[in-house]
Amino acid sequence: MKELEKTKRISISAVLFLLIVTIAILTFEKPKYVFEKNTEAILNEVNNNNYILTLNQLDSIEQSQYQVVDIRSNFEYSKGHINDAINISTHDILVSENMDLFDDLKENSKTAVLYGKNPNEANSAWMLLYQLGYENAKILCVETNYIDNKFQVSNHALEKPAVNFAQVIKLAKSKSAKAKAKPVSKPTKSKKVITVKKKKKRVPEGGC
Amino acid sequence: MGPLIPNGIIPEDWNYIIAILIGFAFGYILEASGFSSSRKLAGQFYGYDFAVLKVFFTSAVVAVIGLYYMDYLNFLDISMLFVQPTYLWAAIIGGMIMGVGFLAGGFCPGTSLCAVAIGKIDGIVFTIGLVIGIFIFSESFSALEPLFESSNLGNITLVDTLGVSPYWIIFIFTIIALIAFVFSDWVRSKVKKVFY
Amino acid sequence: MSKKYKLKRLLVRRYQILAAILFILAAGLVLLPKYKKNEGIAPDLFVKNIISSERYISTDLLADRLVNQDPTVLLIDTRSEKEFNDYALPNAVNIPLKDLLNENFDGYINQDVYDVILYSNENFYADQAWIISNRLGYQNLYVLKGGLNEWFNTIINPKMPEETEPKEAFDLYSFRKAAGMYFGVGIVKSEVKKEIKKKKPTRKVITVKKKKKRVPEGGC
Amino acid sequence: MVKKKQQNRHVYWNPYFGGFLLGLLIILTFYLTGRGLGASGALKSGVVTVVHTIAPTHAENNVYYSKFIKEGESPMNNWLVFEAIGVLLGAFLSGAFTGRLKLKVQHSPKITSRRRLVFALIGGILFGLGAQIARGCTSGAALSGMAVLSTGGFITMLAIFGTGYAVAYFFRKNWI
């Protein structure tokens, strides 16, 4: 018996398929900003410390080669800021005028020198910019504070331990040992065993 | 953002229920398209029925276009999908053995299950044959292992192999499919009708 | 009459029309403007996350949780291995910043069981680690505000409040002192009679399941 | 009613419609589970289970079986097995609706049903062997593979159909 072909259903479904795709494309909004760098790249950059400028290093660069950017809030900026600095708070970096400005800096190969209350604050903004592809951004490693209501900039020693932790601990222990006549009984804690299970993020397996 | 289960959006526990539902739809579509009939399946090799080729190509084209649109529209991460690893010689030789088996038996595993479900005895026998074939393979695995494990190219796609944008591949693939449809209809009009 | 005729003519060409639809869809893929895809979360969400200070946990809060042996705390030391071996917080795990994306450590930072608290000498490196993890969409991560320096200034060696300060300041001070002693390093003044618990920075033994690679599951 | 069913028996879906739905199903499968469809994997799980139950030591010593035997977990506890159960149910239902449920051997009028069954068995054995070597059958390797543009999928598909056309001549008596 000859197979009878019905085309009504296929026509209808094909038209529906086309409609769905069209609607999906029309409603689709292309993301405005896309990260250029993946996390590997940013991690590499973070680890080779090229992105940190001290005040002295900044002085050695020609004035026309960089633009200082204050990433604190407008309020803080109006209280006092580094000379010639412009104000773009971290929150407003993705505003298009500000992006244009960074684009300009990038084209003219000028360095965007970011600073905030401390390097840590500038770091967020720097990481954002770097991941968006602005390799010309750098962090000015300074602290800003107010002494007698005057704006002060001072160098900041990054990630420097305040004290030698190990030594302090040792010292404290020897002191406590001295203070005690009796030997300190050391309650041995049972080792805490924690199993971290991988988050269920199963890679799809195949099969046929 | 898909795929939903590997990304943990749908809990893993649902996996098997979804498997049954998907299998259900798969079986229904295969049977309703006539894949439970071995003579219909074999028809494409003799030019009297091209249903298999049409279903096969249509579904592949629709699926690949749909998947890439979903990827484009950010519903799905195409790199998360499972890609069958390519073992070049294993695929070629295995495919050739399957080709002979297809002609002799008239089914492939999916369709033979459909045939079993509607009571085709040849389908049942074919399925028993499948089990025996798998058993033979497993028992003689040590002899076949060099072939099985050789020339592993990894989980590659045509994009890696040809170095062309996937969109062009899809476009060309679609054109090939359309030509195949036209050609199959032409062949069918030339070949003597077989009623089954 | 003419309408019916038109429909009929359309139906004759139905396969051509269907083929055209398929063709257009495939061509659409080629012609659509391409854009680069993000790895991880989108920039606008990312900005919201990095300016929020929710990620910071104060040293007092951490001390409190550690003293109470909160089982959901997992400390991660992002400093170098050498620094970690010299001194680390109790039960901390060392993941140097440069190894953050090493897949052996994936189980620690990409999970939903513990509150992972990242620290370094300050919070600069820890913050960077947090930002990178956040970009990848990892949850339950926190940063120790001020890092180890702050820890030493507040918990190990707290400053005696001025007499004019409110009672809360004294409460906090006594808590900090007690906590400092708990961590075995109270700067011992003569009046200390309490037994000092010594807590070695035992390392957590954590078994991380190896990341499952796409194991080619033997086909059929 | 009976007559209608009789007529229906050979009315299948328009192949393009079937293909279209199948394509959507593949998309859905990938969207939900990140993997493709499959069929013979379920049979393999069945074989492994049977062998493991009958001769556990033999199964554990065999390199191939031992790949699929996990401590405390039955090989039947597999996505593909559940899918295969679904396939059986779905096909049964479709057959029931159109009146195709019947215990019979379908064969060309030129051959006996005995010959048909012998060839079916040979074909099944070859197909099972080939599917294991190629790590997938028509649905698993070729169909799902083509949907994600897998090189292996295309190669397998070409090999199956290429060989099919090459040997079609020798089997013509069975089918035409």
Side-chain angles (χ1 to χ4, degrees), chain C residues 15 18 212 216-220, chain D residues 14 16 40 44 132 135-137:
Chain C
Y15 281 118
L18 291 175
K212 211 171 155 197
E217 188 202 76
C220 279
Chain D
N14 180 317
Y16 298 118
S40 53
K44 179 184 68 192
Q132 293 312 302
R135 294 174 168 75
C137 54

Side-chain angles (χ1 to χ4, degrees), chain B residues 1 39 49 65 68-69 151 158 162 164 186 189:
Chain B
M1 187 80 171
R39 293 199 69 200
D49 193 323
I65 289 179
Y68 272 86
Y69 267 108
S151 59
L158 282 184
L162 306 176
V164 194
W186 177 77
S189 66

Side-chain angles (χ1 to χ4, degrees), chain B residues 26-28 30-31 35-36 109-120, chain D residues 87-88 91-92:
Chain B
F26 187 37
Y28 197 100
L30 284 184
E31 214 288 331
F35 277 29
S36 58
T111 57
S112 76
L113 286 178
C114 292
V116 169
I118 65 160
K120 292 258 169 74
Chain D
V87 169
L88 289 175
F92 180 80

Side-chain angles (χ1 to χ4, degrees), chain A residues 63-74:
Chain A
Q63 183 85 48
S64 60
Q65 288 299 303
Y66 65 86
Q67 170 67 55
V68 181
V69 180
D70 189 328
I71 58 97
R72 298 172 305 162
S73 66
N74 206 307

Side-chain angles (χ1 to χ4, degrees), chain C residues 75-165:
Chain C
L75 284 163
I76 287 184
D77 193 325
T78 58
R79 300 171 306 160
S80 67
E81 204 172 323
K82 190 179 157 292
E83 284 177 292
F84 175 78
N85 287 337
D86 277 352
Y87 175 73
L89 292 181
N91 282 337
V93 178
N94 185 216
I95 301 181
L97 183 59
K98 62 178 181 348
D99 296 329
L100 184 72
L101 297 179
N102 190 323
E103 66 180 46
N104 291 334
F105 296 131
D106 198 49
Y108 293 105
I109 53 171
N110 183 16
Q111 47 79 45
D112 48 12
V113 185
Y114 296 98
D115 287 340
V116 172
I117 296 163
L118 303 160
Y119 74 88
S120 52
N121 284 335
E122 277 183 313
N123 50 19
F124 191 76
Y125 290 151
D127 218 34
Q128 288 181 326
W130 187 90
I131 289 175
I132 291 173
S133 311
N134 186 269
R135 162 90 189 272
L136 292 170
Y138 297 168
Q139 304 289 320
N140 297 341
L141 294 169
Y142 300 89
V143 173
L144 180 61
K145 179 92 183 154
L148 278 180
N149 287 347
E150 185 74 9
W151 177 261
F152 261 69
N153 289 336
T154 53
I155 306 299
I156 306 298
N157 194 9
K159 217 170 88 196
M160 181 91 160
E162 302 281 320
E163 299 218 345
T164 50
E165 280 182 51

Side-chain angles (χ1 to χ4, degrees), chain A residues 179-208:
Chain A
K180 294 222 144 260
K182 279 188 273 179
V184 183
S185 67
K186 290 175 187 170
T188 41
K189 279 238 144 125
S190 60
K191 225 176 190 181
K192 202 165 149 198
V193 179
I194 293 186
T195 358
V196 171
K197 252 216 250 158
K198 234 200 96 93
K199 196 176 169 184
K200 280 250 169 96
K201 202 167 195 177
R202 201 177 54 96
V203 181
E205 316 159 38
C208 96

